[in-house]
Amino acid sequence: MTARLTIVVAVAAAVLAAPLQAAQPLLPARSSDQVAPRVERAALPDEAGERAPLSFAWALDPTQPLTAPAPQAALSRSYWETVDAAALQRGVALPLTAPDAVIQVSPVQGARVLRPEQWEVRDPTGALAVDRIVDAGQLRATGMPAGTGTAMVRTGGSAAVGTYRLQSTQAQGRYVVQVLEPNSAIALRLQADRQQVLAGGRVVVSARLQDDGGSTALAAGRSTTRALPAAGEALLVAPDGRSWPVPLVAGRDGLQAQVTIPQDVGTVQGLWELQAFVGARGVQRDAKVAFAVAQPTARFSGQAEADPTARAVRLPLQIGAPGRYEARGTLYATGPDGQLRPVAQAHSAAWFDAPGTAELRLPFASVALPRGYAAPFELRDLQLQDQSRMAPIESRARALTF
Amino acid sequence: MRSNAGRMGVGLAVGLMLACGGAQAADVVGVAFVHGTGAQTDARADYWQPGIIDTVRLGLPNSANYTVINCDFTQYMWKPEAAGCLAGQLTTFINGKGITRLVVITHSNGGNVVRWILSNPTYDSRYPKIIQTVSKVTALAPSSAGTPLADAVLNGNTFETSVGWLLGYTNDAVRQQQVGHMATYNAQNLYGTAGRPALPRPFRAVVGSDVESAVWDSNSYCGGYAQNVGLEFTQNWLNSCSDGFLECSSQKAAGTTWFTDKQRTNGAEPLSHNQSRRECFGLGTILRNDLAL
């Protein structure tokens, strides 16, 4: 069976004619919501973007429940370090906890580019431990944009566990050395408490070194995870490359970083990272998590007007900086069994030239309700995005009932 | 204050309602091939190779109704050089050929750029018409949840004032495809992953699950032997089910899984990340036959 698309195009002015209910406050924010307490001025990025106001809605299948994804938990069996030529000429110690590791070496800008055969890896007994090696050209052929001079070595399945040595007498300059231990039972688990934060706000990141039996046991559901005592440090990294050290403090369940985001978030688009570097008794691991940082260039006023007949929601805004802003949200309708389920998704965006008051209107009326679904409605997962600066400003899991 | 294009009510409101039915006889069907990471100027020859394109387009009522996208996908997916360029070329194609039903075939990161358009209809005034015209997206090995190989490229690439980025500036498409970054983009900017609202159009993944590069096996030469040798090595950086560049879980993270390579390919051969954009093991024929559905 194929799907036939029926497209309904309507001028929003027609929707505007429908009466709206009196203004009502948005539902109280939850602790996991992000609400801008004020608005701030900000410069416009060079790429101004779209100026036309646009709205768009589409149907959702009410039998498919929606759940807000939890912040990603990074699980790492790898580590990296920057080493200089003197250390490499002597031989750099690389602790390995499992056979068949992969070692990647990349020259820092200005360092001597070495051929794969100029690298030596020796196991704890001093024997050569290179099962296979590939160069940058072979890596690039895969689509992996490896830098010039990058090489990747596999130590082999029969190799011993312990301290290996990576050496090149030809090294000159600095090199980034990465070690991946896909067969190791020891991993670093890193997770932030949120995926978005406002400038000046705080993110809490937990880090735990654990023995989980390894990837295979995890995949098979045979894993019993045991936390390992560890210590480490962390680094907050902005998209423009600025970085700030962040202490990792031991707690009841591993390590924790209290990360305060600077007020000056810069103008380079992209996500921020918290990188954690943890070690314990011959084991090194690092991992990173990413989150979005937004300057509060606009905010919902906290009020809304909704019309259940027209299935439209008017959202007053306070604008702090010129730009293009978008409201998006999910309409839940009451099903035949009295339960609220998602039936439509709507977005609405417009350009605003100057600070002041404004509004966006989420129109759901062009989407037919599934049979048996009707008011009362609820607007959930309401978000305000700064499209000019690619930043999620506000996020409310439950916003309005009408 | 003043909104540049007038009051809210002047905006275009578009709604989509799905109903059962088939392709209409009056439909003008087209297919667009959207490449992955990289800046392409001749993707037909350099990224896809003509074999698969020419096989697929024979499934069109008018085999001239196809376009091969050439954009700069070294940029973040939302950038004018990426999604903006893609929107421009798709719009030109739709308008120029009068396309009413568009099948989009993407590879790798091309799936993310198309998913950006589907997920952000109000970002660009060209997006709504594109979304309305798209009948389905066939995402070949999409990097929907990123790849640990992107992390491997960027780990250690710190910024020092005297040097700059230690390993040189790595392009934003690679930054975007780090696993943690894609998790955040999927949670905030993109739809179609678990627990998130569905995309407005079907997004079906073709999953590559393994790499073969035995020197004696002729199948290892399809798409390029050297590429498959490299992909077999980079599998070491990935979990046990991967196409050498992406783990199966990433390829399956958005939309629905149409099929995993061995379920449909000739000889139940796996599709490496290189082979899933080439005329290997009957892939072109599978895609061609799907155009009519």
Side-chain angles (χ1 to χ4, degrees):
Chain A
M1 185 170 73
T2 61
R4 177 188 168 194
L5 195 65
T6 304
I7 301 167
V8 177
V9 178
V11 176
V15 179
L16 260 185
L20 291 170
Q21 286 186 336
Q24 58 176 307
L26 295 174
L27 293 171
R30 298 175 171 189
S31 61
S32 56
D33 290 350
Q34 178 168 295
V35 176
R38 63 185 182 285
V39 294
E40 296 176 357
R41 294 177 181 274
L44 260 183
D46 294 338
E47 296 161 1
E50 181 64 61
R51 298 295 178 111
L54 293 165
S55 295
F56 195 98
W58 68 96
L60 298 178
D61 180 351
T63 66
Q64 299 295 315
L66 303 179
T67 53
Q72 181 234 5
L75 200 62
S76 165
R77 298 177 204 279
S78 69
Y79 64 93
W80 64 266
E81 57 185 305
T82 305
V83 295
D84 62 22
L88 278 167
Q89 288 168 10
R90 288 191 306 271
V92 173
L94 300 175
L96 299 185
T97 62
D100 212 3
V102 184
I103 300 168
Q104 179 180 300
V105 189
S106 307
V108 165
Q109 290 198 75
R112 176 180 284 170
V113 172
L114 299 175
R115 296 188 304 276
E117 62 269 23
Q118 291 177 295
W119 292 105
E120 255 184 29
V121 179
R122 293 188 179 274
D123 70 15
T125 69
L128 279 174
V130 177
D131 177 69
R132 206 168 150 207
I133 189 164
V134 292
D135 61 18
Q138 290 167 301
L139 291 172
R140 285 188 192 132
T142 70
M144 183 180 179
T148 303
T150 295
M152 215 182 257
V153 177
R154 183 175 171 181
T155 60
S158 59
V161 169
T163 300
Y164 281 57
R165 298 195 82 77
L166 172 69
Q167 188 171 23
S168 176
T169 57
Q170 306 298 311
Q172 193 173 87
R174 289 184 294 166
Y175 299 79
V176 173
V177 177
Q178 290 187 68
V179 176
L180 172 69
E181 297 192 89
N183 302 307
S184 174
I186 300 173
L188 173 62
R189 187 180 192 276
L190 190 71
Q191 188 171 33
D193 68 340
R194 59 192 61 237
Q195 288 172 303
Q196 61 186 77
V197 62
L198 293 171
R202 176 173 286 196
V203 179
V204 178
V205 180
S206 59
R208 189 170 71 166
L209 193 68
Q210 61 189 33
D211 183 336
D212 58 17
S215 301
T216 306
L218 267 181
R222 291 186 279 104
S223 172
T224 51
T225 299
R226 179 171 59 92
L228 302 173
E233 55 192 11
L235 198 65
L236 173 67
V237 182
D240 59 13
R242 290 178 297 158
S243 60
W244 299 263
V246 180
L248 276 177
V249 179
R252 280 185 309 175
D253 190 27
L255 306 166
Q256 195 175 77
Q258 303 273 347
V259 186
T260 301
I261 307 299
Q263 288 289 350
D264 173 14
V265 298
T267 56
V268 175
Q269 294 185 346
L271 300 177
W272 289 57
E273 291 178 352
L274 194 283
Q275 303 176 358
F277 309 90
V278 172
R281 288 186 295 185
V283 181
Q284 284 178 248
R285 292 289 181 263
D286 58 61
K288 59 190 171 190
V289 289
F291 43 86
V293 175
Q295 199 175 350
T297 48
R299 66 191 294 264
F300 290 123
S301 74
Q303 298 284 312
E305 293 176 39
D307 181 348
T309 306
R311 296 200 298 283
V313 179
R314 189 196 302 261
L315 296 155
L317 304 174
Q318 293 175 6
I319 305 295
R324 182 175 180 82
Y325 295 96
E326 181 207 62
R328 57 173 67 179
T330 307
L331 183 71
Y332 279 65
T334 305
D337 59 357
Q339 298 297 309
L340 285 165
R341 292 196 178 82
V343 296
Q345 182 73 18
H347 294 203
S348 181
W351 179 273
F352 301 102
D353 276 334
T357 57
E359 66 176 38
L360 288 169
R361 185 185 177 94
L362 283 178
F364 294 97
S366 58
V367 177
L369 290 175
R371 183 186 299 273
Y373 282 77
F377 301 110
E378 191 162 297
L379 180 63
R380 294 188 184 177
D381 196 18
L382 175 65
Q383 295 182 37
L384 179 64
Q385 304 264 351
D386 182 341
Q387 287 190 334
S388 298
R389 299 167 188 85
M390 272 303 297
I393 304 171
E394 291 213 18
S395 173
R396 294 167 183 260
R398 291 184 64 214
L400 196 67
T401 56
F402 61 102
Chain B
M1 72 167 299
R2 183 174 67 88
S3 170
N4 210 45
R7 296 184 309 115
M8 261 307 296
V10 185
L12 178 70
V14 179
L16 303 176
M17 292 184 296
L18 289 168
C20 293
Q24 302 302 291
D27 271 337
V28 180
V29 184
V31 61
F33 295 85
V34 181
H35 60 81
T37 301
Q40 298 294 333
T41 54
D42 185 7
R44 175 185 167 84
D46 300 335
Y47 192 86
W48 296 97
Q49 295 181 350
I52 190 165
I53 287 170
D54 290 338
T55 299
V56 173
R57 68 191 183 96
L58 287 177
L60 292 167
N62 177 352
S63 63
N65 283 347
Y66 77 102
T67 185
V68 182
I69 301 299
N70 289 290
C71 287
D72 182 0
F73 289 172
T74 63
Q75 308 287 328
Y76 282 123
M77 55 192 155
W78 59 82
K79 287 289 189 179
E81 299 87 346
C85 168
L86 173 59
Q89 292 185 19
L90 289 178
T91 300
T92 299
F93 174 61
I94 290 166
N95 293 342
K97 299 276 190 179
I99 302 297
T100 60
R101 186 169 163 266
L102 177 64
V103 177
V104 179
I105 296 176
T106 69
H107 185 257
S108 194
N109 184 44
N112 293 326
V113 185
V114 170
R115 202 152 57 92
W116 166 264
I117 290 177
L118 297 177
S119 301
N120 294 275
T122 65
Y123 189 78
D124 184 314
S125 58
R126 296 169 296 184
Y127 290 5
K129 182 174 182 181
I130 293 169
I131 297 170
Q132 291 160 25
T133 310
V134 168
S135 62
K136 60 187 168 189
V137 179
T138 300
L140 305 171
S143 54
S144 298
T147 174
L149 292 175
D151 291 80
V153 169
L154 283 159
N155 284 339
N157 196 11
T158 52
F159 187 87
E160 290 182 4
T161 307
S162 57
V163 183
W165 295 98
L166 287 187
L167 301 177
Y169 190 80
T170 306
N171 74 58
D172 287 334
V174 178
R175 290 176 186 278
Q176 171 191 296
Q177 288 175 90
Q178 293 177 93
V179 173
H181 288 235
M182 279 308 300
T184 300
Y185 290 127
N186 281 327
Q188 294 175 349
N189 306 97
L190 301 171
Y191 293 129
T193 50
R196 294 276 287 157
L199 293 160
R201 314 319 282 135
F203 185 94
R204 304 177 311 150
V206 174
V207 177
S209 66
D210 203 355
V211 183
E212 291 183 352
S213 66
V215 69
W216 60 84
D217 183 356
S218 61
N219 294 321
S220 304
Y221 292 79
C222 189
Y225 179 73
Q227 286 87 341
N228 290 331
V229 169
L231 287 164
E232 189 167 49
F233 191 90
T234 49
Q235 274 194 306
N236 294 306
W237 208 274
L238 307 170
N239 68 25
S240 58
C241 183
S242 84
D243 68 356
F245 192 74
L246 298 171
E247 294 177 345
C248 297
S249 57
S250 177
Q251 300 174 63
K252 294 177 178 177
T256 57
T257 299
W258 178 17
F259 66 91
T260 296
D261 46 22
K262 296 175 184 176
Q263 294 172 325
R264 295 217 182 185
T265 51
N266 294 342
E269 289 293 332
L271 292 166
S272 72
H273 198 64
N274 181 51
Q275 292 170 331
S276 55
R277 59 182 156 124
R278 301 281 157 78
E279 176 60 308
C280 292
F281 319 128
L283 177 61
T285 304
I286 295 169
L287 298 174
R288 182 185 69 199
N289 293 340
D290 183 61
L291 290 181
L293 301 177

